[in-house]
Amino acid sequence: MLVDEVKITLQAGKGGDGLVHFYTDRWRPKGGPDGGNGGDGGNVYFRAVSDISRLHQFRHQKNFEAQDGGKGGPNNCTGKNGVDLYLDIPYGSVISYDNGTQVELETVGQIILASKGGRGGKGNHHYRSATNQTPKEHTTGFSPPVKNIHIKLKLIADIGFIGLPNASKTSLLNELTSANAQVANYAFTTLEPNLGVMKGGQIIADIPGLIEGASDGKGLGYKFLKHVERTKILVHCVSAESADPVADYQVVRQELKNYSSVLDSKTEIVVLTKSDLLDQKDIKKISKKIGAALAVSIVDDKSLKSLSDMLSKLI
Ligand SMILES: Nc1nc2c(ncn2[C@@H]2O[C@H](COP(=O)(O)OP(=O)(O)OP(=O)(O)O)[C@@H](O)[C@H]2O)c(=O)[nH]1
Ligand SMILES: [Mg+2]
């Protein structure tokens, strides 16, 4: 199951404490103050990766800590800085902090600082002066607050495959990309979005079938409409097998409209699927009625190539 929403807590490293220490040796029993500063605590970063299943790692482990800074040492040695912690999450993740700020990871490799480590405290060497040659002052390292983080994944696909259940969406995804998603002759075979990458690098998202009332939460589609909201184009699959392809087309259009104006106004390519099931004359007639740009069938390689070429040109 694709995990697309998690809540976690982050604790950046605490700064190391400054040290109070006086140098002594056989010849200088009263050497000066030489307590060093503490090291800084480690930062916590988010790093964007292309693996969309990466939020899975947060299903059980929810609390993450970067390393604390080391304590200051004698001889004015600064403590070690804490090791930074990098958490890999899929690009397309929207990170919300408890103060309401939101940041989005938009490209693979992007790194953002999620929680800054605490500064190390000052050792007594720092406080020495002409008037205070034996300072005992020091400060403790700063302890950064725990941050509550909410991460939500919005898939960034170029192309969204939508349509009623059983409309060949997943079958076409499998044909056009190296995806190997489950296909079956019943409604709601697809329960979670499938992603596939075309030869040219374009990413296709295939979401569960939409039904009437999807925009009100009926069926499975609603939860996933947000995933296709940001695709560049929609491929609306209408099955030639249906008794009324025009009605099928309109049901889905209505749901897009009810869901959001963004989806309603997105560029759409209508594809009449399973074209092998009807004769050419009927295919032409239905295609005209629903404004289909193409009729395709998974057993007709030529039609698949036409679809692939059309999508590659558009993206
Ligand atoms: N004859 C024929 N059957 C097809 C074609 N494409 C898909 N099918 C069959 O139609 C059924 C549904 O295909 P899927 O790809 O699972 O459809 P879907 O739109 O992803 O369905 P949901 O995931 O339930 O929304 C399967 O039994 C496929 O084998 C086609 O081009 N021709
Ligand atoms: Mg499917």
Side-chain angles (χ1 to χ4, degrees):
M1 188 178 130
L2 180 72
V3 177
D4 63 354
E5 205 169 343
V6 290
K7 284 183 178 166
I8 56 172
T9 65
L10 304 181
Q11 169 79 73
K14 179 181 176 298
D17 295 340
L19 180 73
V20 177
H21 190 266
F22 295 93
Y23 184 83
T24 52
D25 64 23
R26 206 186 318 169
W27 298 277
R28 290 197 297 163
K30 282 193 176 175
D34 73 344
N37 299 335
D40 295 336
N43 301 322
V44 183
Y45 295 97
F46 284 119
R47 181 166 53 195
V49 295
S50 59
D51 176 2
I52 63 150
S53 63
R54 212 49 191 254
L55 292 183
H56 210 81
Q57 66 181 311
F58 303 122
R59 264 194 350 150
H60 302 298
Q61 195 186 348
K62 307 269 183 204
N63 307 313
F64 294 86
E65 289 176 15
Q67 196 182 31
D68 293 342
K71 208 173 164 181
N75 211 8
N76 194 24
C77 276
T78 302
K80 266 194 176 169
N81 289 337
V83 177
D84 296 332
L85 176 67
Y86 285 83
L87 295 173
D88 287 345
I89 61 173
Y91 81 113
S93 294
V94 180
I95 299 158
S96 310
Y97 296 90
D98 30 14
N99 65 4
T101 327
Q102 283 197 337
V103 192
E104 188 173 339
L105 288 177
E106 288 173 325
T107 48
V108 172
Q110 190 182 341
I111 290 174
I112 60 153
L113 177 63
S115 187
K116 190 162 171 46
R119 287 285 294 271
K122 303 283 184 225
N124 67 339
H125 180 260
H126 175 83
Y127 294 98
R128 76 201 186 287
S129 68
T131 51
N132 185 4
Q133 293 186 3
T134 55
K136 294 215 172 76
E137 290 96 328
H138 76 294
T139 53
T140 52
F142 179 70
S143 189
V146 172
K147 287 196 175 174
N148 295 305
I149 309 274
H150 183 183
I151 307 175
K152 222 172 170 177
L153 178 62
K154 276 189 161 188
L155 299 182
I156 307 180
D158 301 301
I159 303 159
F161 279 8
I162 54 158
L164 291 188
N166 230 352
S168 181
K169 300 179 295 296
T170 309
S171 303
L172 288 174
L173 174 85
N174 288 346
E175 294 296 332
L176 297 186
T177 72
S178 51
N180 186 16
Q182 196 196 348
V183 163
N185 192 18
Y186 54 81
F188 301 120
T189 309
T190 303
L191 303 174
E192 297 285 336
N194 296 307
L195 283 194
V197 186
M198 288 175 63
K199 274 205 186 96
Q202 302 87 343
I203 300 176
I204 300 177
D206 153 44
I207 65 165
L210 301 169
I211 53 169
E212 191 168 356
S215 54
D216 290 329
K218 265 204 192 139
L220 297 167
Y222 179 77
K223 188 172 162 215
F224 304 108
L225 281 172
K226 71 173 190 285
H227 291 322
V228 288
E229 212 171 23
R230 296 196 314 174
T231 60
K232 294 181 189 122
I233 57 171
L234 297 176
V235 172
H236 185 157
C237 301
V238 181
S239 172
E241 199 179 23
S242 161
D244 192 349
V246 178
D248 289 1
Y249 173 75
Q250 283 164 350
V251 164
V252 172
R253 280 306 320 170
Q254 189 60 45
E255 294 311 320
L256 298 180
K257 195 170 172 188
N258 293 350
Y259 185 80
S260 77
S261 57
V262 176
L263 269 187
D264 188 36
S265 56
K266 198 169 287 292
T267 306
E268 173 193 75
I269 294 174
V270 184
V271 172
L272 185 63
T273 61
K274 309 194 191 183
S275 63
D276 55 295
L277 297 177
L278 296 183
D279 62 31
Q280 275 301 319
K281 216 173 100 204
D282 287 337
I283 290 290
K284 271 204 180 130
K285 215 162 80 188
I286 301 169
S287 293
K288 203 169 160 199
K289 277 192 193 159
I290 60 172
L294 268 181
V296 295
S297 158
I298 55 167
V299 293
D300 175 1
D301 287 345
K302 227 171 115 189
S303 73
L304 292 172
K305 176 146 191 336
S306 303
L307 177 58
S308 161
D309 288 347
M310 181 184 274
L311 297 179
S312 305
K313 260 189 214 139
L314 282 166
I315 305 292

